[in-house]
Amino acid sequence: MLQRCDSVNKFIRLILLVLLLPVLVSCGSANNAQKFNTTDITGVDFGSQLNLTDHTGKARSLSDFKGKVVALFFGYTHCPDVCPTTLNDMKQSKKLLGANASELQVLFVTLDPERDTQPLLAQFVPAFDPSFIGLYGTKEQTAAVLKDFKIFAAKVENKGRSGYTIDHSAGVYVFDKTGKIRLYVDYGTKPDLIAGDIQKLL
C-alpha cells in the first residue's frame, strides 16, 4: 500500500510540475522572494471547491477557514499506514509552530464515504489532535471534490477483514490565510520542513 501510494504521489507531483511550469516561469521574480521546502503551486486554477460535512455534522466549505492556514489531504480511516502517518506528521508540524499552532487548520477528507461514517470520523480524526477536522460527503460530492483537486483514488479488492483498500494520492495541499492554494507537500516530508513552510504563510 505504501509503495503504491508513493508511486502515485510521485506521478501526481510530476503532473503538477508539468502543469505549473508556465506559471512558475511567468511568476519567477515574484516567487523568488519566498523559498519553500515543499512545492510552490501558487496560481493553479484547481482546488477551489470543497462543500462537505464535518465529523460533527456541520456543513463546511473552504471559506469557513479563512484567517487560518489550511492543510488539506485525502485518505480513509482503514488506511494501514499512509493516512495515520500523514495525520501524525501534521500533528508534529503543528506542535513545531509553537505559539502560532492555533493558526493552522488540518482537514482530512475521506475517500471512503461508504465506511467512513460521521461517528467513525469523529472518533478517528480528532484522536490525533482535537482541532483536526474530518470531512465526508456523498459518493457524488466526494467524486466532485476529487476531480476538482486532481486526486487519484482507486479501490483495490482484497481478502482481508476490510474487504478492500484504496490506492490514492498521498500529498497535502496547503492554503494561505486568504484561502488561496499555495503548496503541495509530498508524502514523507519531515514535519520540521512542513512547519517551516507553514510559518512563512502565517
Side-chain angles (χ1 to χ4, degrees):
M1 178 62 185
L2 177 57
Q3 292 179 340
R4 286 176 176 170
C5 285
D6 266 344
S7 62
V8 168
N9 194 40
K10 289 176 182 177
F11 177 70
I12 294 295
R13 184 170 184 241
L14 179 61
I15 291 177
L16 284 171
L17 288 173
V18 171
L19 292 172
L20 294 171
L21 187 57
V23 176
L24 295 175
V25 171
S26 64
C27 301
S29 59
N31 286 339
N32 282 339
Q34 196 168 41
K35 298 291 187 180
F36 293 102
N37 301 303
T38 56
T39 305
D40 187 343
I41 58 172
T42 303
V44 297
D45 60 353
F46 62 85
S48 59
Q49 301 299 317
L50 185 72
N51 296 296
L52 298 169
T53 304
D54 73 16
H55 65 252
T56 71
K58 182 178 180 180
R60 293 287 196 171
S61 66
L62 282 172
S63 62
D64 294 335
F65 306 104
K66 284 188 177 180
K68 290 188 175 185
V69 170
V70 172
L72 169 72
F73 73 103
F74 298 77
Y76 64 113
T77 64
H78 289 73
C79 181
D81 40 40
V82 173
C83 304
T85 298
T86 302
L87 280 164
N88 191 60
D89 285 346
M90 294 312 305
K91 174 183 178 179
Q92 298 305 318
S93 299
K94 181 182 176 184
K95 284 184 178 180
L96 290 171
L97 294 175
N100 296 323
S102 63
E103 297 181 59
L104 171 66
Q105 179 61 63
V106 175
L107 303 178
F108 173 91
V109 179
T110 181
L111 300 165
D112 191 13
E114 181 180 345
R115 293 183 299 190
D116 288 347
T117 60
Q118 179 184 329
L120 183 54
L121 286 171
Q123 180 181 22
F124 179 78
V125 179
F128 291 87
D129 186 282
S131 73
F132 289 5
I133 295 175
L135 298 169
Y136 68 97
T138 63
K139 288 184 178 180
E140 293 74 20
Q141 288 173 321
T142 301
V145 172
L146 297 187
K147 181 179 180 180
D148 187 48
F149 280 86
K150 301 187 183 300
I151 296 296
F152 169 85
K155 185 182 291 188
V156 179
E157 302 294 338
N158 62 48
K159 296 180 180 180
R161 288 191 304 170
S162 64
Y164 62 88
T165 56
I166 299 175
D167 286 349
H168 62 92
S169 308
V172 178
Y173 288 112
V174 179
F175 297 77
D176 64 23
K177 288 187 171 184
T178 69
K180 293 180 180 178
I181 192 167
R182 297 293 304 278
L183 304 172
Y184 181 78
V185 182
D186 283 324
Y187 171 72
T189 301
K190 299 299 183 183
D192 60 324
L193 299 179
I194 299 172
D197 280 359
I198 290 173
Q199 190 71 55
K200 295 172 185 176
L201 297 177
L202 294 177

